[in-house]
Amino acid sequence: MNLTSKKKTAPAPLPPAAKLLAEILLARSKDGVCVISQAELCKLTGLSRVTVWKHLNVLRQRGIIDWERRKRLPTQYRFVDANWVKHPLNPLRPEIAELVKKGQNVLILGGEGMGKSFQLSFVSQDGLIQTPVRLSLARATLRDGLISLLDQLGEAGLLDVSSLSQPLSRLSAKELGQTVLQTVSQAPGRVFLAVDDLDQLPPTLRRFLLGLFTLYNVQVVATARNEEKIKEFVDHFVVVRLSPLSEEETRAWVETFVNARNIPVLGGEKGLQKLARHIYLRTGGNPRKIQGFLRKIEAQGYVDRSFLREELQPERFQFLDMTWLVILTAAVVMAVRYVSLGMHSRTLYVLAGVFYALALVLRWFSYRWRRKT
């Protein structure tokens, strides 16, 4: 097999969970530094604390990240491997960056897997957001969403939660909402709010946000799939619709990914171009689907003929269903056996058994038989 480099020289692939953590840290980092709590990492990945801690240590042992624990503050993670910071997988689109710089409210629309949340995570990088008060809101009930906003306002120093008449958990939703509005409206500077999946939030929480968005000192960047469900919000935003990646963008992503990790590909440069082409045809330029194939490639550690055939070109083959042949053979064999008994022919009886055995053997091996569609 002609590969661009030998298998034994390729670096061992990262476990999928460690790769996912690295991508989240990269997406939320600024100048290679990310401040995030372990609880937030668990929420974003769906992994337990033990699993998150285990794979963070994997990243540290590989020399990709390091971290600094701080008393009563989220951990600060720093990328040690410059290659990770140098090759972001899906950077912030220029049109979104320009609008955010100007202080506009931006609504990022796109289908599932188009990279809306990933784009949203990049917005707070590169000095685009000047205000230190940065709030975020994802899918949550009305009470949980309001409590989350108040906790973040407390961390930003705009609200002393201990000074409230009751703990947040005992306040009514109306009182929580009034406290959020009052605190934000009295903030000395602008307040930035990132809302993921705006159309998936409960209607009651969306109605509250509609009032929050009208405050002059609030800048909002949100994502959504279904524009019809949030018609009342559209007037408050400049809408940016995400389209699938072009074939050239897909090829550049695949080549950067493969070359940065020194993954051997069958056929060298031509094989790499063929790989990028097949990935584009299978995914249609959907970033999440492309990322799924890239993770499979990294997990395998190399790209060979079987990967191209089975992962990227499965529609070229179909399996032959031999069930009908077995049923037909069984019926014919039974008929021949009864005829042989009536004619007292031992030869026919033996042949019937042989043909039935051959049919069963062919049925067992039929999964290996395939043909082009």
Side-chain angles (χ1 to χ4, degrees), residues 58-217:
V58 170
L59 294 174
R60 191 181 207 177
Q61 291 164 6
R62 296 286 186 91
I64 296 173
I65 66 168
D66 200 354
W67 60 76
E68 175 189 350
R69 296 192 175 212
R70 303 179 299 168
K71 190 175 182 181
R72 296 183 181 178
L73 289 172
T75 306
Q76 179 174 285
Y77 298 90
R78 178 172 56 86
F79 277 88
V80 180
D81 187 348
N83 285 326
W84 278 83
V85 183
K86 194 184 300 181
H87 299 292
L89 296 182
N90 193 10
L92 182 63
R93 298 201 174 187
E95 62 269 29
I96 298 176
E98 189 64 28
L99 291 169
V100 174
K101 268 184 186 176
K102 293 178 179 178
Q104 299 275 3
N105 291 341
V106 181
L107 176 62
I108 305 172
L109 280 176
E112 185 176 358
M114 294 305 300
K116 303 181 301 297
S117 300
F118 208 61
Q119 291 289 312
L120 183 63
S121 66
F122 269 109
V123 166
S124 60
Q125 298 183 33
D126 302 323
L128 296 177
I129 307 301
Q130 302 298 328
T131 175
V133 184
R134 304 178 184 183
L135 311 178
S136 62
L137 185 64
R139 296 187 196 183
T141 62
L142 175 62
R143 285 186 57 82
D144 289 344
L146 294 174
I147 290 174
S148 173
L149 291 175
L150 288 172
D151 285 336
Q152 293 175 68
L153 288 169
E155 292 176 3
L158 296 181
L159 174 67
D160 184 3
V161 179
S162 62
S163 66
L164 297 177
S165 58
Q166 299 182 69
L168 294 179
S169 58
R170 295 190 178 183
L171 293 176
S172 66
K174 183 178 180 180
E175 292 171 324
L176 291 169
Q178 290 174 343
T179 306
V180 172
L181 290 173
Q182 182 180 0
T183 304
V184 172
S185 63
Q186 295 176 355
R190 290 180 67 82
V191 174
F192 174 77
L193 175 61
V195 183
D196 200 10
D197 288 331
L198 177 61
D199 56 327
Q200 302 299 315
L201 296 178
T204 51
L205 185 52
R206 291 208 301 267
R207 284 196 294 271
F208 168 79
L209 290 177
L210 194 58
L212 183 64
F213 293 172
T214 60
L215 297 178
Y216 75 95
N217 64 331

